[in-house]
Amino acid sequence: MGFFKRINRTFLRNTAVCATLVMSASAAWNTQAAELSRRDQRFLLQAGQAGLFEIAASKLALDRSSNDDVKNFAQMMITDHTAVARDLQALADSKNTQLPTEPSRAQQSVLRQLQNSQRNRFDRAYAEKVAVSAHRDAVKLFTDAARNARDADVKAFAEKNLPALQGHLEKGRALRTTVLNSHPSGWLGDHKQAPVAPVSPASPTAPPSVVPGK
């Protein structure tokens, strides 16, 4: 009986070892399956930064602009990009990927420029740098991911949100045109062109062009 007990103990011990090895291999496979390529990880990072930038810049627009078209566009950006951010967070969580908590350094620089711009220049800057330029970059980013992402879920996320971003870009271009056309004639940035005071020909400072005989 002692012999058979030893055989049973050995069998059970080997079975447990095999089970442990199988479970470890399965866990390793699942971990590898959840990992993203560096390209896909970079897309999630940049998509997160783009959303944070759009929301922050648009909140500035609501606070600083007095143009209804600008404010309406900004509110749309906040609503739409907040919804995309929720979906992006869920995707990142499923892939064990950490999203950024703030925009990139370049985007933060633009935010500071917007924050410090004079109010009569803000609308132009927002329309050009946020409504158009930032969305042009986002469309390029999502187009690349929709075509080239290796992970099926990342690819599907990019494909799903690309049409909305393309729509934002078109509306941004229309907003830029509206903002540029809203400035009165003679606009020179922060100041309107000041009228030139007439110079008397008798004045000692009069140029030769207004002095008879010169």
Side-chain angles (χ1 to χ4, degrees), residues 60-78:
L60 281 177
L62 291 181
D63 179 62
R64 296 179 59 81
S65 179
S66 58
N67 185 307
D68 287 341
D69 292 319
V70 171
K71 294 171 82 72
N72 290 338
F73 182 89
Q75 184 58 63
M76 179 177 66
M77 293 303 98
I78 293 172

Side-chain angles (χ1 to χ4, degrees), residues 78-120:
I78 293 172
T79 301
D80 290 358
H81 283 285
T82 298
V84 173
R86 286 195 295 265
D87 291 343
L88 180 63
Q89 185 64 64
L91 175 60
D93 289 343
S94 71
K95 304 300 177 180
N96 298 318
T97 299
Q98 186 71 34
L99 290 180
T101 57
E102 59 184 15
S104 68
R105 290 185 179 180
Q107 291 164 341
Q108 291 180 47
S109 176
V110 174
L111 288 173
R112 286 193 294 270
Q113 292 173 23
L114 291 172
Q115 180 68 54
N116 296 329
S117 65
Q118 298 184 22
R119 285 186 179 271
N120 51 8

Side-chain angles (χ1 to χ4, degrees), residues 5 12 22 46 55 58 79 88 93 99 109 147 179 202 207 213:
K5 286 182 179 180
L12 292 175
V22 169
Q46 293 176 337
I55 293 172
S58 296
T79 301
L88 180 63
D93 289 343
L99 290 180
S109 176
R147 292 174 178 172
V179 168

